[in-house]
Amino acid sequence: KVRSVEGSSVCAECGAKDPEWAAQNHGILLCVECSGVHRALGTHISRVRSLVLDRWTPEALLVLLEVGNARHNRIYEELLPANSLQRLTPAADRAAREHFIRFKYLERAFLKVPEATPEQLGEQLLDAAAAPASAEAAARVLSLVAHGAPVDHHSAARENATALHEAVRAGNVLAVELLLEHGASTREKDVRGWSPVNYAAFFNRPRCMSRLMQSTRLVARCSWDLHPSDIATCNGSAEVEHLLRGQPD
């Protein structure tokens, strides 16, 4: 099904048919040759996994389904003409693939330079994360991160919340997945001392809580010395309370 997404029937980099690998944090499919170059970039740039050999969580698959090759490349290749000789072909050798992919992701050479400041980009990221989950909202989050929005930016206008707080508040598990894949911290606190985990408990966001629990060993208390399970109980967040039951303090 993921290959039926726009552009994803071929490799996102060279156009080879029937790709069997993916860059999970980018939401794209890759051929085996390009996946090797992506893997060499490091997991902080590209998290490569096999569509066939690896097990995928529903949230990770959702990124592949809602982003896809075409939507991703409209961001990362915005300044690259469709007929550019710089583009790879399935026949490209290893050296050509390394040059193009490193240029694209490390130098971000085909991205338009943003006019906004990092702080402005951070505020826009909070807005995008707070939107209902959709392919367009996911692309907006990915675009802002690609253009340098700080993923852990705290917004004074939103009670010192981060984009991850806002994504959890909105129940936007797609944005939660993308933000975590791009390094967002689960331990950032708002003005109350609440982390995104506390938000998931208060707003009864079980899917968000489940994903956050994969990324943090310790379920943090807030400044009121309330454990998230206490918050869930007091607020009647039964689904989240069930998830947290038996979790370590």
Side-chain angles (χ1 to χ4, degrees):
K1 187 176 180 180
V2 294
R3 293 195 189 97
S4 66
V5 177
E6 183 187 3
S8 295
S9 62
V10 298
C11 173
E13 310 297 2
C14 74
K17 295 180 179 179
D18 301 322
E20 293 190 349
W21 295 81
Q24 179 174 321
N25 55 328
H26 290 287
I28 57 175
L29 302 191
L30 305 165
C31 69
V32 63
E33 289 84 2
C34 289
S35 72
V37 179
H38 268 260
R39 192 183 299 276
L41 298 178
T43 55
H44 62 296
I45 301 295
S46 191
R47 291 191 60 199
V48 177
R49 304 185 71 209
S50 169
L51 289 179
V52 179
L53 302 176
D54 291 319
R55 297 182 66 179
W56 288 75
T57 65
E59 292 77 21
L61 281 174
L62 188 61
V63 172
L64 297 182
L65 290 168
E66 297 295 344
V67 178
N69 292 3
R71 196 170 269 113
H72 172 274
N73 280 343
R74 281 195 284 269
I75 297 167
Y76 274 86
E77 296 181 357
E78 185 177 6
L79 299 181
L80 184 65
N83 60 351
S84 172
L85 295 178
Q86 289 181 276
R87 290 186 177 277
L88 295 175
T89 68
D93 61 19
R94 173 78 181 200
R97 292 175 198 269
E98 287 181 349
H99 176 78
F100 178 82
I101 292 171
R102 291 177 68 86
F103 206 49
K104 179 176 175 179
Y105 294 95
L106 298 185
E107 303 296 330
R108 302 190 179 190
F110 309 129
L111 282 167
K112 185 177 291 185
V113 176
E115 296 180 1
T117 66
E119 183 175 358
Q120 290 170 330
L121 291 172
E123 291 292 326
Q124 293 172 30
L125 184 60
L126 268 82
D127 290 337
S134 68
E136 291 72 24
R140 181 63 175 156
V141 169
L142 186 62
S143 177
L144 287 163
V145 171
H147 285 90
V151 291
D152 288 329
H153 170 75
H154 288 262
S155 174
R158 293 177 184 258
E159 300 182 314
N160 212 40
T162 66
L164 190 54
H165 284 96
E166 290 302 307
V168 173
R169 185 202 301 266
N172 186 344
V173 71
L174 181 56
V176 168
E177 178 70 24
L178 280 169
L179 289 165
L180 291 173
E181 286 287 352
H182 286 274
S185 172
T186 61
R187 300 180 184 276
E188 299 298 312
K189 306 287 183 68
D190 68 3
V191 292
R192 292 177 293 271
W194 284 23
S195 73
V197 174
N198 296 117
Y199 274 48
F202 184 81
F203 292 105
N204 194 30
R205 305 297 190 215
R207 290 188 67 189
C208 294
M209 179 64 84
S210 179
R211 181 61 182 88
L212 292 169
M213 287 166 61
Q214 295 171 32
S215 298
T216 182
R217 184 181 63 83
L218 178 68
V219 179
R221 291 180 180 271
C222 66
S223 59
W224 300 342
D225 201 36
L226 283 175
H227 191 277
S229 59
D230 300 327
I231 296 173
T233 301
C234 292
N235 204 49
S237 302
E239 293 169 287
V240 169
E241 184 183 0
H242 178 75
L243 271 177
L244 290 171
R245 190 175 297 132
Q247 289 299 305
D249 195 351

